[in-house]
Amino acid sequence: MTHRPELRLMLIEAGSVAVLVDLVVSLDEETQYYAITALSNIAVDDNGRNVLWDTQEELVDMLIKALHRPLKIKIQSQIVLTLRNLACDSRYQVQIVEKGGLDALLPLLQSSYTILITSTCACLRNLSIDSRNEAPIICSGFLPELVDLIPQADEPDLQCHAISTVRNMAANTGQDKQAFVDSGLFDRLKIALTDSRTHPKVLCELAAALSVFALNDQLWRPIIELGFCKLLVQLTRCRDMEAEYNACLTLSTLASKGMAEVYDEFARLWRAPNGGIRGCLIKVMTLPEYANTNVRSIAVWLTRTLLGCARTDLVERVACDAQLVAAIEEIAKYRVVLSSSCSVASSTRLSSAAVAEDAKGKQADMTDSHIMAFIANGEHAISGSSGAEHEAFRAGALAYQAMTLLDDFTRVGS
């Protein structure tokens, strides 16, 4: 019954939660298992978690204590999944750690049962969202265990949870990240990226993790030094749009560092492998209009960064590439036409001549305050608009960025 939201609500209103919690310590294993399963399902949504938080103060203590007892694997796994669902709430993320949950979870992560390891990783993934839990998770010895799980290509769900947990912790600011480097993290990431068995959804998680690592002053250098840029270029050729997006984002983040070693690597990979950085930029910028606007925006931004870098030979390669310029000009043809109510009425494309003319005057329609607000503040600037209008504004903002980039090409060429 707890699989359906409306039935969960009925059970909550009927007062079943207190009864189910009492059954967590039942001596009958089947009763215990189904009571915990029901609580896990109730904890799936905000309403259920709020009821549990407000009325069942001892629940987390009971679940953690149960994990320290000898129980069947399926019961242990269900307890951990219940903690995972509770940890979707920031209050529980902190409480589970404060009440000793990590000590109960570590032996399960080290077990020989895949179901237990996977459910434990899923729980840690949610616990790691709160920055206050980073230090306790690392100090409890989880990092090397998680890192060792990353290359396990036969268990893609397990890989995703492990990678995401490490990524969440790396995203937290204010902590020393040397432990991540010392754990062998980047060697394991490289194994997973180069394994032909690695599932596309895992490739997506790997690229997303690298985009976070690239932001950190202690973690971006191994990406350059261990040859990840070559792998990221190859990843932009995969069929998964999200993996392609994350790979492009990582390359752009690295370029934004403005470091000589990054530009040296980009220059080395300009045309190879698989067309290199250049091929990646052209492929992404020539995606059809219905494709992800964000990934094309990243390609435009990366091109602009390279055009303004301190390495003159790389600037020349970018500035003198006619195919790259043509791709940018094509993006710049997009226009958004606003109705009097400032909602999008239609979109259109301009000829190359019109684009050139607009480049001189920064086209009035694209510098409309609504477009510029969207560029500065994202979708918050146009709240109340429809999904189609949001996409039109995104495309309009992309066109404006392309127009600005064409100006940069003109300045470099002169």
Side-chain angles (χ1 to χ4, degrees), residues 333-346:
K333 291 178 182 179
Y334 188 91
R335 289 297 176 274
V336 175
V337 180
L338 299 176
S339 69
S340 58
S341 62
C342 297
S343 61
V344 177
S346 62

Side-chain angles (χ1 to χ4, degrees), residues 67-95:
L67 284 177
H68 288 291
R69 303 190 190 106
L71 296 171
K72 287 183 177 179
I73 299 301
K74 72 173 187 177
I75 298 177
Q76 288 181 311
S77 180
Q78 197 58 60
I79 291 173
V80 175
L81 290 175
T82 304
L83 291 170
R84 187 271 306 268
N85 289 343
L86 291 172
C88 291
D89 187 305
S90 60
R91 296 170 296 183
Y92 278 116
Q93 288 165 11
V94 175
Q95 188 185 75

Side-chain angles (χ1 to χ4, degrees), residues 175-233:
Q175 296 285 342
D176 181 32
K177 306 300 180 186
Q178 187 58 41
F180 290 79
V181 179
D182 296 340
S183 70
L185 169 63
F186 290 95
D187 290 332
R188 304 304 194 283
L189 292 170
K190 197 166 187 178
I191 291 171
L193 274 172
T194 54
D195 192 333
S196 61
R197 300 171 300 159
T198 300
H199 194 281
K201 68 180 181 181
V202 179
L203 291 174
C204 183
E205 287 287 350
L206 287 165
L210 286 169
S211 71
V212 171
F213 302 153
L215 290 167
N216 187 273
D217 290 339
Q218 291 177 278
L219 301 180
W220 70 266
R221 289 186 187 276
I223 299 176
I224 297 295
E225 294 169 354
L226 296 177
F228 278 92
C229 287
K230 178 180 177 180
L231 300 177
L232 289 166
V233 169

